[in-house]
Amino acid sequence: MTTTIISDAEVPARAPYSTVLRRGETLSIIDLGGNQAVDFLCYDAADTAKRYSAAATIAAQRNIFLTTGSVLRTGESAPLLTVVEDTCGRHDTLGGACSKESNSLRYGQHTRYQHACVENFLTEGAKWGLGKRDLVSNVNWYMNVPVEQDGTLGIVDGISAPGLEVKLRAETDVLVLVSNCPQINNPCNGFDPTPVRMIVTGGGE
């Protein structure tokens, strides 16, 4: 079966993105510059009350990190997306999305007016009728958040590199929201946000 490119978009540094994947279609997220965190939410396109659940996803796979074979699940444990290919090797489920509020708390009041992922999610989500109450704990593709033996989390230099890719197959019709993370106060983007590429394909999987 021939794979058909349905859409191919370069998402600028700090920008949002959204699309609907039909069942069986695949979304490739390509880290063009390396070490660029890609904050990610997904919803059942037919009923957005059914959305990605970090708790259900982690419990089902018994692992806090995502990689090839991981299935992103709703709170009811229904599959939304499956990671079918991953050349990076590990992605975060715990670090959450940066916001004006979290920036000011962590890095000082002078950062409050910096653009952040929550604002990207709200702007892009509004196009689909979503609001603040629809935002949940998100995936951070390419973000390196190790867990120490005492349970503390760190946000450290990424393990990604230019051209690495994660590929997701839709198990139902799925609405995807992305924030190409604007954060410049910690190493999640190497202190220099860069573009990413989003390719949607159908067939061939």
Side-chain angles (χ1 to χ4, degrees):
M1 185 181 293
T2 302
T3 300
T4 301
I5 295 177
I6 297 168
S7 65
D8 186 344
E10 183 172 307
V11 182
R14 302 178 174 85
Y17 166 88
S18 62
T19 193
V20 171
L21 302 175
R22 300 304 173 188
R23 182 178 180 182
E25 292 179 352
T26 300
L27 172 65
S28 297
I29 304 173
I30 303 170
D31 186 2
L32 295 176
N35 291 346
Q36 173 60 39
V38 180
D39 288 43
F40 183 95
L41 288 170
C42 55
Y43 305 79
D44 186 320
D47 181 2
T48 56
K50 300 175 182 177
R51 70 276 306 261
Y52 168 73
S53 166
T57 298
I58 291 167
Q61 70 170 10
R62 299 167 131 346
N63 193 324
I64 61 172
F65 299 114
L66 302 176
T67 189
T68 305
S70 294
V71 180
L72 277 61
R73 297 181 180 274
T74 68
E76 299 77 25
S77 206
L80 291 170
L81 296 158
T82 298
V83 181
V84 294
E85 185 177 330
D86 175 23
T87 56
C88 179
R90 191 176 75 182
H91 307 269
D92 169 60
T93 61
L94 302 179
C98 59
S99 66
K100 293 179 179 180
E101 293 79 9
S102 65
N103 279 344
S104 61
L105 180 65
R106 292 172 177 167
Y107 310 115
Q109 286 296 323
H110 67 283
T111 66
R112 182 174 179 83
Y113 299 101
Q114 292 176 0
H115 196 52
C117 285
V118 167
E119 286 68 44
N120 271 344
F121 282 144
L122 290 173
T123 298
E124 198 67 18
K127 298 176 182 179
W128 304 93
L130 301 177
K132 198 162 190 176
R133 68 179 59 194
D134 298 301
L135 301 188
V136 294
S137 296
N138 59 285
V139 174
N140 293 303
W141 302 113
Y142 302 109
M143 188 163 150
N144 190 13
V145 183
V147 180
E148 305 298 337
Q149 287 189 346
D150 64 0
T152 57
L153 304 179
I155 298 176
V156 299
D157 288 339
I159 59 174
S160 184
L164 295 191
E165 176 179 12
V166 59
K167 187 178 291 187
L168 308 164
R169 182 185 64 225
E171 305 301 344
T172 188
D173 292 354
V174 177
L175 168 62
V176 167
L177 293 185
V178 166
S179 171
N180 193 20
C181 184
Q183 183 60 254
I184 58 173
N185 300 292
N186 69 48
C188 73
N189 300 321
F191 301 102
D192 181 23
T194 52
V196 295
R197 187 178 178 192
M198 303 285 183
I199 305 174
V200 178
T201 56
E205 290 295 337

